[in-house]
Amino acid sequence: MRVSKTALLLALVVGAPAWAQPAADVQAALDAAHAKYKDIKEGKNADYIPALAKVDSNIYGIALVTTDGKVYTAGDIKSEVSIQSISKVFTMAKVMEEMGAEAIVKRIGVDPTGMRFNSIVAVEFAQKALGGPEINPLVNPGAITATSMVKGSSRDAVWKSILGYYSDFAGRPLGVNQEVFKSESDTNQRNQAIGYLMFAYEFIKSNPLQATDIYTEQCSVNVNAKDLATMAATLANGGKNPVTGKQVMSTGNVPAVLAVMSIAGLYDDSGKWLYRTGLPAKSGVGGGLIAVSPGKFGIAVISPPLDDAGNSVRAQKAIADVSNALGGNPLASKPR
Ligand code: DON
């Protein structure tokens, strides 16, 4: 790429752009990843929430939003799926904003459990063997606890506050997939038990059924690939939505959110994912996956079929390819 003298001078005066990839290269990386994985047949929709089994397995969209607000897309970015566990990232951020970053460490923990996302044994183990809250807000017991910590004078007030917060990250008003909400509400007895257990151990200090119900609703928020990429890009951009320009969370809290995503974002495969990409990320059983390249971009893929660990097959492959092609790994450095 040729860079003019004026551009160089401008970069010296106002600071170089954080990430100066030619637009054509970014688009080519997205197009290549879309084409390469479009026809793969691995994986299967989540079905423990009945409504998720019915979602079209062919939905496949990629979106990348840069920290200077440019949006790149490939494939289906219109179709919406439920955000599911990706929501946990943004509720954690909200609690940090309302109560301070240490509240998460004290009440929930920020360590990997090494167990399934809805493990009850993980809570018991932390309590009995480790002597306290040594889990994290991206597994269900920690996530339901985080939801219970969101401030509001009524269920409705808490819910409006959460939905408004997610919408600020996405840059548009988001809504709830009522079919998924009902389907999960009818079948979430295990999460209710987790809520009660966290209440029994006094991590949840209010009505645990209400916390579980709001958690279930937050998992049912509908998003498309561009929404998710904008949410991720807001984290990549120090908490400021690069498309709307709104400061959604304080810049100082972002690294801690990304740290928890790094250790627990892809369930039991979080280590493998970090090893291969270096990207803080979070998956959801609806088929979404977001990843953050700090200072550079947020990227998201939606594709419902999941692998055995519960992560979207196409999304993992596509994001790894795009990020590696564009130098997105934040752990990579060049020798001086
Ligand atoms: O709690 C559940 O089972 C779903 N609402 C979310 C599961 C999910 O995406 C897994 N996340 N870690």
Side-chain angles (χ1 to χ4, degrees):
M1 183 183 58
R2 288 196 61 226
V3 182
S4 74
K5 276 191 192 144
T6 325
L8 270 178
L9 196 64
L10 206 68
L12 282 174
V13 178
V14 298
W19 192 59
Q21 284 282 350
D25 290 4
V26 181
Q27 189 59 51
L30 262 68
D31 290 342
H34 188 266
K36 188 168 169 191
Y37 301 118
K38 185 166 50 72
D39 297 320
I40 61 174
K41 299 276 175 253
E42 293 157 51
K44 160 172 173 304
N45 284 26
D47 56 9
Y48 74 96
I49 299 169
L52 298 187
K54 295 198 286 178
V55 175
D56 180 0
S57 307
N58 295 312
I59 295 170
Y60 177 34
I62 310 177
L64 182 150
V65 178
T66 64
T67 50
D68 57 357
K70 295 195 182 72
V71 180
Y72 299 87
T73 64
D76 179 353
I77 52 142
K78 289 233 161 68
S79 293
E80 297 181 333
V81 297
S82 53
I83 189 169
Q84 295 299 336
S85 281
I86 300 171
S87 67
K88 293 166 174 165
V89 170
F90 302 97
T91 297
M92 165 176 56
K94 184 159 184 52
V95 172
M96 291 166 78
E97 293 294 292
E98 292 181 355
M99 300 182 72
E102 278 308 300
I104 296 285
V105 183
K106 288 208 183 92
R107 187 90 77 87
I108 297 171
V110 290
D111 282 300
T113 64
M115 292 178 210
R116 301 291 296 177
F117 68 89
N118 58 3
S119 171
I120 289 170
V121 173
V123 177
E124 287 297 320
F125 179 78
Q127 195 64 12
K128 302 277 160 50
L130 306 175
E134 295 266 348
I135 56 169
N136 67 74
L138 301 186
V139 291
N140 288 14
I144 296 168
T145 304
T147 301
S148 80
M149 293 163 77
V150 173
K151 292 196 192 313
S153 53
S154 63
R155 189 214 182 276
D156 195 42
V158 172
W159 172 245
K160 282 203 174 106
S161 174
I162 289 175
L163 187 61
Y165 196 59
Y166 292 5
S167 300
D168 284 345
F169 273 96
R172 72 165 182 118
L174 299 175
V176 172
N177 183 323
Q178 294 297 342
E179 189 191 352
V180 170
F181 183 34
K182 178 166 188 331
S183 179
E184 185 165 351
S185 298
D186 289 345
T187 54
N188 71 348
Q189 289 76 22
R190 186 182 179 91
N191 281 344
Q192 293 176 25
I194 288 172
Y196 266 112
L197 185 64
M198 297 309 275
F199 180 71
Y201 282 136
E202 298 180 1
F203 299 126
I204 291 182
K205 296 180 190 295
S206 52
N207 179 346
L209 276 187
Q210 178 172 298
T212 309
D213 184 44
I214 300 176
Y215 161 80
T216 306
E217 190 161 10
Q218 79 178 41
C219 289
S220 309
V221 168
N222 255 342
V223 281
N224 61 38
K226 189 184 156 214
D227 295 328
L228 287 178
T230 309
M231 295 171 95
T234 302
L235 294 173
N237 190 40
K240 182 176 185 176
N241 185 317
V243 178
T244 65
K246 181 166 182 173
Q247 189 75 42
V248 181
M249 68 178 291
S250 57
T251 303
N253 278 340
V254 173
V257 172
L258 298 182
V260 180
M261 291 168 72
S262 301
I263 57 120
L266 272 80
Y267 320 106
D268 310 326
D269 277 352
S270 299
K272 284 193 207 84
W273 170 261
L274 199 63
Y275 189 89
R276 292 185 180 129
T277 67
L279 297 173
K282 183 71 197 92
S283 60
V285 292
L289 176 63
I290 63 168
V292 178
S293 181
K296 295 179 178 168
F297 59 82
I299 182 169
V301 172
I302 290 178
S303 169
L306 311 178
D307 64 14
D308 290 344
N311 301 306
S312 166
V313 177
R314 284 194 189 110
Q316 291 175 83
K317 291 178 189 289
I319 292 180
D321 274 20
V322 170
S323 175
N324 291 337
L326 300 176
N329 186 336
L331 306 181
S333 58
K334 292 204 171 82
R336 284 164 74 96

